[in-house]
Amino acid sequence: MQLQSPETPTQNETLPALTTPLDLVAALLQEQQSLSAVDRFAQSHARAGTAAQSNTYRDLIPATAPASGQQYAFEVDLDACSGCKACVTACHALNGLEDDELWRNVGQLIGGSNELPVIQHVTTACHHCIEPACLSGCPVGAYEKDVDTGIVRHLDDQCIGCQYCVLKCPYDVPVYSRAKGIVRKCDMCSQRLAVGEAPACVQACPSRAIKIRTVDVAAVLDECEASALLPASPEPGYTVPTTTYTTKRSLPRNLLPADYYSVGRAHSHLPLVFMLVLTQMSVGAFLVEQLIFSYSSLFREEIARSIRPLHLCAALLLGMLGLAASVFHLGRPLYAFRAVLGLRTSWLSREIVAFGIFAAVSSLYVAAACLDYAGAGISDFWQAVLGTCASAAGLLAVFCSVMVYVDTRRPCWTLIPTAAKFLLTCLILGIPTALLVSLMAAALTDGLTSSTVMTQYGRDLCWALVALVTTKLLLELSLLAHLRRRQHTPQKRSAMLMIGELSMTAMRRLFFGIVGGVILPVVLLAETAITAESYQPLFIGIITLLVLGLSIVGELHERYLFFAASVAPKMPGSAAT
């Protein structure tokens, strides 16, 4: 923008009388050089010294520190915000952020009518909530809320880059830095506030739209029950944000974020996709093993002992692969041992501890089965105890996995659908794993044939697989029912993604699910309906292998959609996570 010279008229000066078209052009050119808010701000800096400039911000920060029961908070004057993004630039420059890393965003609210449209600029940053979700969800204690100022700070040296706070925060505040492998966020320039200096965004705003105020915590808690932060923003009752947005105007009731109707995929979190599928497959394999070998009399003892070690080793290997995959989601994997520090409040810490217990108990169970096969094992009673404990620990770990996502309070990750999907994945992948391992053992063991496996329990497993896969596919397709809703809810946006940007992924998921979980098991049932003498062990083994392979691919697609289609309410102008 061009600064005004002494000869340039200000906005308050009257334009000369217009007599010719040339006068009109000259008047318009003269008007373009009038001072904007940014120009007036820059000119005041040019005229004033450093001492005078420091007095400019005295009314933008509290004169005293917060008293007991109070804390610092942002106050944004919507009438003054022009959307110039000077606050964004100042925050970016002062904190040395990366090119695509923003701690403050500027968005738009639009509404009104065709005759009187309304555009409202909104600047947003961390709300330094009274009950911050990022703090309670962090598994390593990398957040702290200052007891004196109420400022929520991120401890960069403690962070392991798990990004769970990004999912937990409903306001899209924490930002992941790939270069540093950690998450970072606004701390209200606490070091500047401590010496009586305004934060960068406050000091840079040319129209003084951003201020720092002290608020009463009790009053904010009361108000959060009856007022929304901004139109279409997340409900404040979850984290109780302290930022206040003020206006003297009567805003239209249909005011919504400018990007309210835009639909974009969320982060897919591929390492977590593999981690969840493989660990749930492992738990499912242990559950099916308990059902077949421990709580039934389908096999003679010597046959069961020959199959179980192979089955359990395969199940344990799958679990270990899943846990190893989760490490690739961390920005700083060498510090993963810290992830149990948040056990008191974080479901992610509880999930990690639960899977650690599952890995330990299942390893003991596998070792006991292998020793028993070698003739040096423990008693059947203690093997049954270990098997039951391993299955119980696996179910506990899967429950913690469910709660990790339910605790984010995203509308698409509610308790019952999420728990149903995760448990169905356990069984859908555990059944063909058990069947394939049994058929492999039949090929390597005397006294056991594929016809025996299929006759005694293979057919029942196939029927169960068809029923479970059908149930899960119907559960996933039920999301499309939200397309009929008038309101543009997060569930409707997710459904729009499923038939739009993510439609090919959704179609592949249906294809692999139907072929691997319905058609091929029916082929197995048709083959084994023939007399036992005409069984083709090689054919049955290949079909079972295909069932398992296609089921795994289908579940990976489902879990990818679980993340990529998880739309949640967000602040105006903030990026999807």
Side-chain angles (χ1 to χ4, degrees):
M1 296 184 181
Q2 183 178 358
L3 296 179
Q4 181 190 17
S5 63
E7 292 78 15
T8 304
T10 64
Q11 290 178 328
N12 297 326
E13 294 180 358
T14 305
L15 295 176
L18 305 178
T19 58
T20 67
L22 292 178
D23 291 337
L24 175 60
V25 173
L28 292 175
L29 290 174
Q30 188 179 44
E31 186 180 8
Q32 286 182 349
Q33 298 185 27
S34 62
L35 286 179
S36 66
V38 177
D39 295 325
R40 293 193 297 273
F41 181 78
Q43 193 178 70
S44 68
H45 272 254
R47 290 197 302 262
T50 304
Q53 291 175 21
S54 63
N55 292 329
T56 305
Y57 314 107
R58 289 302 174 91
D59 61 337
L60 301 180
I61 60 175
T64 60
S68 177
Q70 295 182 330
Q71 74 163 74
Y72 284 132
F74 284 113
E75 180 183 293
V76 177
D77 185 355
L78 294 177
D79 299 337
C81 182
S82 64
C84 67
K85 297 188 178 181
C87 54
V88 178
T89 303
C91 176
H92 193 279
L94 179 68
N95 294 289
L97 305 184
E98 299 170 14
D99 292 342
D100 58 347
E101 186 180 11
L102 297 177
W103 292 359
R104 180 168 282 279
N105 292 277
V106 173
Q108 288 182 335
L109 297 171
I110 59 175
S113 61
N114 293 333
E115 295 75 18
L116 188 61
V118 174
I119 299 179
Q120 175 63 62
H121 298 285
V122 178
T123 176
T124 64
C126 179
H127 302 299
H128 299 279
C129 305
I130 294 176
E131 299 175 359
C134 55
L135 187 151
S136 62
C138 182
V140 297
Y143 286 90
E144 65 176 10
K145 185 172 178 65
D146 191 274
V147 294
D148 297 322
T149 65
I151 295 174
V152 180
R153 284 193 290 260
H154 181 261
L155 309 178
D156 293 356
D157 58 343
Q158 185 72 9
C159 181
I160 62 173
C162 70
Q163 306 170 57
Y164 186 47
C165 57
V166 179
L167 295 177
K168 282 280 288 180
C169 176
Y171 306 107
D172 309 300
V173 168
V175 181
Y176 180 65
S177 170
R178 294 190 178 278
K180 296 178 173 58
I182 59 172
V183 169
R184 301 195 292 178
K185 63 173 283 294
C186 157
D187 65 350
M188 203 182 279
C189 294
S190 55
Q191 293 180 339
R192 294 165 67 95
L193 274 177
V195 295
E197 189 173 0
C201 56
V202 174
Q203 189 166 333
C205 181
S207 55
R208 301 190 182 186
I210 311 174
K211 304 178 181 65
I212 302 296
R213 293 288 183 256
T214 55
V215 295
D216 290 325
V217 173
V220 175
L221 287 169
D222 291 337
E223 293 171 0
C224 78
E225 296 294 332
S227 62
L229 190 63
L230 284 172
S233 66
E235 291 294 330
Y238 176 28
T239 63
V240 194
T242 59
T243 302
T244 55
Y245 292 90
T246 62
T247 179
K248 297 179 180 178
R249 296 176 294 166
S250 179
L251 298 176
R253 294 179 61 185
N254 65 343
L255 204 63
L256 290 172
D259 57 352
Y260 181 75
Y261 292 102
S262 63
V263 180
R265 71 172 69 189
H267 196 294
S268 58
H269 299 284
L270 283 178
L272 295 183
V273 170
F274 282 91
M275 174 262 180
L276 289 172
V277 170
L278 290 176
T279 53
Q280 289 164 22
M281 183 177 178
S282 175
V283 173
F286 276 100
L287 289 174
V288 175
E289 183 274 337
Q290 286 290 292
L291 177 64
I292 296 175
F293 300 119
S294 298
Y295 298 119
S296 69
S297 57
L298 296 176
F299 294 108
R300 298 193 306 273
E301 183 177 351
E302 63 274 12
I303 296 178
R305 286 182 177 178
S306 64
I307 298 177
R308 288 174 60 244
L310 180 61
H311 181 106
L312 294 176
C313 287
L316 180 61
L317 177 61
L318 290 169
M320 294 304 178
L321 288 175
L323 295 178
S326 65
V327 176
F328 291 95
H329 189 255
L330 301 179
R332 302 171 71 191
L334 294 179
Y335 299 96
F337 62 89
R338 297 175 178 170
V340 299
L341 297 178
L343 188 61
R344 187 174 61 87
T345 60
S346 174
W347 278 104
L348 185 56
S349 289
R350 295 165 185 168
E351 179 193 38
I352 293 168
V353 171
F355 271 115
I357 296 173
F358 168 68
V361 177
S362 60
S363 297
L364 290 176
Y365 183 40
V366 173
C370 292
L371 289 174
D372 184 59
Y373 178 71
I378 61 177
S379 65
D380 292 342
F381 171 78
W382 288 111
Q383 286 194 55
V385 170
L386 285 175
T388 302
C389 290
S391 299
L395 288 175
L396 175 63
V398 172
F399 172 74
C400 290
S401 293
V402 172
M403 293 306 301
V404 163
Y405 301 100
V406 172
D407 196 43
T408 64
R409 301 201 182 186
R410 293 198 171 194
C412 296
W413 291 347
T414 52
L415 177 60
I416 294 178
T418 303
K421 288 180 180 180
F422 284 19
L423 289 175
L424 285 172
T425 297
C426 292
L427 297 175
I428 288 171
L429 297 182
I431 287 174
T433 300
L435 186 56
L436 180 63
V437 170
S438 297
L439 291 173
M440 293 173 59
L444 302 174
T445 305
D446 295 333
L448 180 65
T449 63
S450 59
S451 61
T452 304
V453 172
M454 295 303 300
T455 301
Q456 292 191 351
Y457 69 97
R459 291 177 57 83
D460 293 336
L461 290 181
C462 288
W463 281 118
L465 181 61
V466 171
L468 293 170
V469 171
T470 303
T471 301
K472 188 174 184 187
L473 291 178
L474 291 176
L475 174 63
E476 295 168 24
L477 291 174
S478 66
L479 179 65
L480 301 181
H482 290 276
L483 292 171
R484 302 177 60 184
R485 302 190 63 174
R486 178 181 295 274
Q487 289 183 315
H488 214 64
T489 61
Q491 293 93 332
K492 182 176 181 178
R493 293 193 189 98
S494 296
M496 293 173 65
L497 279 173
M498 297 283 284
I499 64 172
E501 187 178 359
L502 297 172
S503 59
M504 290 305 298
T505 304
M507 291 297 293
R508 288 196 299 268
R509 191 283 176 268
L510 284 175
F511 172 79
F512 291 122
I514 293 174
V515 174
V518 178
I519 296 178
L520 290 180
V522 170
V523 171
L524 272 180
L525 289 169
E527 171 68 15
T528 55
I530 310 173
T531 57
E533 290 76 11
S534 61
Y535 274 10
Q536 299 294 327
L538 182 60
F539 177 79
I540 295 175
I542 292 175
I543 295 297
T544 305
L545 180 61
L546 287 175
V547 168
L548 179 59
L550 294 179
S551 297
I552 292 174
V553 175
E555 292 303 307
L556 289 173
H557 278 74
E558 180 273 320
R559 205 51 45 89
Y560 176 90
L561 293 170
F562 176 81
F563 287 105
S566 62
V567 178
K570 62 188 184 71
M571 298 298 288
S574 61
T577 54

